[in-house]
Amino acid sequence: ELSSDSPVSYFEFTRILRDCAREKNIFIHGKVRVQERAEITLGNHYHVLFAELCSIPQEKDQDAVVILEKTPVRQDTLSEILMSSQLKLEMKNDVYSTYQLQAPAHLNEIKTTVVCPATEKHVKKDLHQEVFLVEESGLSIVPVPCVSFSYEVHNCTAHLSFWIQWVHNILEKKAEVDRIVFENPDPDTGFVLLPDFKWDQKQLQDLYLIAIVHRRDVKSLRDLTSEHLPLLTNIHSKGEDAIQRQYGVPPRKLCMYLHYQPSYYHLQFHFTSLEYDAPGVESAHLLSDVIQNLQADSSYYHNRSLVFPLRADDGFQGSKREAEKPKTP
Ligand code: M7G
């Protein structure tokens, strides 16, 4: 589907948040110019009469994050790329030569993700930053290795969490309806399975789907008890069945996990290809481990400490400074 009103054509560059030559992506912060219809108020008497006529378009800048990513070369387009591209020689030495290949436009896509309007949190999420491992116990959060300060968990999670309107839109069929791969509508054990927006669905090596649960009362791994085992086993078995049916990827080639801490506080599971180097391994908990841990101990995730990475500006820096203060005897 071609986008007629491209937000990126009005993009005013502010700064690069992060770029990675190996992953061939770049995260950019900027301003997008949007048109708004604003009413001119001429006082009560005229307002009603002229409201329609005086509604004029006004331009307004909104913050946006744009992510550009070169997509993998696909096997099914190889012969077309090699036969219908122009090659420009860069260097030749013995049996070795390198070229600049100018592929036809339709084989030269850049996957583009736009977050607009972007909040400060969106911008911070994509900004390259120093990251620290922290260990969260039931009551406190302390850095690894342990030093002497405590940090309220609920403060931390509230501070980190994102608005989850996009999740509700999927569950209520207001967005991404045509992308749903499988749904189990049961209000307690059901879920919606669909491609993660990181996956362009063009090749299976980087297969990435998410299973979003219908229940809205389970925010994260911390909330899980043995009461949720039917939900977890349902996601495990129906999720892998659906992926095998739809994509022919067998369960032994799949990784199923959830993140702690997640970016979005609504329980969801990641299904990725084993061949894909998915981001976030340091916060991943395998679904099969979670099931076994809860089978052995219903309060496992309430009681145990959990280690996860925290970014410098997510409240860690201040706490670290506290911890580093010389101790008074
Ligand atoms: P998470 O564990 O809460 O956060 O997973 P993290 O992986 O970002 O730390 C949320 C997952 O949902 C991520 O893999 C996102 O790429 C994916 N995601 C985020 N948004 C806003 C969307 C969306 O609008 N649609 C889809 N399909 N996936 C999304």
Side-chain angles (χ1 to χ4, degrees):
E1 192 188 328
L2 284 177
S3 172
S4 50
D5 54 341
S6 158
V8 198
S9 56
Y10 305 100
F11 192 77
E12 195 185 305
F13 173 86
T14 309
R15 62 182 163 150
I16 291 171
L17 300 169
R18 172 156 46 113
D19 67 342
C20 179
R22 196 175 64 86
E23 287 171 17
K24 300 183 184 58
N25 61 21
I26 186 161
F27 293 68
I28 316 157
H29 176 204
K31 301 257 182 226
V32 166
R33 193 138 302 158
V34 290
Q35 288 224 327
E36 265 196 350
R37 292 196 86 77
E39 274 187 10
I40 297 176
T41 305
L42 300 173
N44 280 347
H45 179 68
Y46 294 104
H47 182 235
V48 179
L49 195 61
F50 291 111
E52 280 287 306
L53 288 172
C54 297
S55 168
I56 54 160
Q58 277 195 349
E59 296 209 316
K60 193 181 153 212
D61 282 349
Q62 276 182 339
D63 276 290
V65 172
V66 174
I67 305 160
L68 302 178
E69 184 184 347
K70 293 253 190 187
T71 50
V73 180
R74 286 172 16 226
Q75 274 189 24
D76 58 332
T77 60
L78 274 183
S79 56
E80 196 184 349
I81 289 189
L82 292 173
M83 278 155 60
S84 50
S85 301
Q86 289 193 341
L87 281 186
K88 202 171 122 205
L89 181 70
E90 281 188 329
M91 72 92 185
K92 188 163 172 49
N93 183 352
D94 190 31
V95 294
Y96 307 100
S97 49
T98 65
Y99 298 85
Q100 279 283 342
L101 183 147
Q102 305 284 339
H106 68 283
L107 298 176
N108 205 5
E109 295 165 346
I110 293 185
K111 180 174 185 284
T112 305
T113 308
V114 179
V115 184
C116 179
T119 62
E120 209 186 317
K121 258 182 210 161
H122 290 113
V123 175
K124 266 167 55 178
K125 182 175 194 272
D126 290 330
L127 183 65
H128 177 75
Q129 274 197 39
E130 200 176 355
V131 176
F132 302 88
L133 273 187
V134 292
E135 185 176 330
E136 178 191 277
S137 73
L139 291 169
S140 63
I141 185 171
V142 290
V144 173
C146 248
V147 289
S148 58
F149 76 89
S150 71
Y151 193 68
E152 288 297 314
V153 174
H154 63 264
N155 282 345
C156 177
T157 53
H159 172 61
L160 291 175
S161 67
F162 269 98
W163 184 235
I164 52 170
Q165 186 58 49
W166 68 274
V167 173
H168 294 162
N169 288 348
I170 289 171
L171 295 176
E172 291 162 17
K173 313 287 160 34
K174 293 180 181 160
E176 304 191 48
V177 185
D178 52 343
R179 285 160 48 86
I180 293 177
V181 169
F182 174 79
E183 175 168 15
N184 178 321
D186 188 289
D188 289 325
T189 60
F191 64 98
V192 173
L193 181 74
L194 78 167
D196 191 285
F197 76 172
K198 286 202 275 286
W199 185 37
D200 67 3
Q201 301 180 69
K202 299 259 170 69
Q203 56 285 309
L204 293 178
Q205 281 102 324
D206 57 348
L207 173 137
Y208 200 143
L209 292 105
I210 41 171
I212 301 176
V213 306
H214 276 298
R215 285 180 72 146
R216 298 195 181 192
D217 59 335
V218 196
K219 306 287 179 222
S220 75
L221 181 68
R222 271 276 181 234
D223 293 341
L224 293 175
T225 65
S226 58
E227 185 234 321
H228 303 105
L229 282 168
L231 167 70
L232 303 178
T233 49
N234 195 38
I235 292 176
H236 194 291
S237 64
K238 298 220 167 76
E240 61 182 26
D241 282 357
I243 290 176
Q244 170 126 38
R245 258 196 325 275
Q246 178 82 13
Y247 303 102
V249 176
R252 63 180 185 283
K253 290 276 202 177
L254 272 186
C255 232
M256 290 174 264
Y257 55 92
L258 82 171
H259 281 154
Y260 193 79
Q261 296 207 18
S263 297
Y264 307 94
Y265 277 75
H266 178 111
L267 194 70
Q268 57 189 290
F269 290 85
H270 303 243
F271 287 70
T272 60
S273 161
L274 211 51
E275 286 171 42
Y276 177 52
D277 202 3
V281 275
E282 59 291 343
S283 355
H285 295 256
L286 291 179
L287 177 54
S288 52
D289 283 351
V290 174
I291 290 174
Q292 285 190 50
N293 290 334
L294 291 174
Q295 280 166 341
D297 173 6
S298 173
S299 315
Y300 187 85
Y301 290 103
H302 284 178
N303 296 334
R304 66 156 286 178
S305 65
L306 295 167
V307 174
F308 59 86
L310 193 61
R311 296 147 55 89
D313 68 355
D314 279 333
F316 182 68
Q317 205 66 304
S319 310
K320 185 167 166 260
R321 264 183 240 119
E322 274 298 299
E324 283 168 356
K325 274 185 197 161
K327 292 195 186 77
T328 41

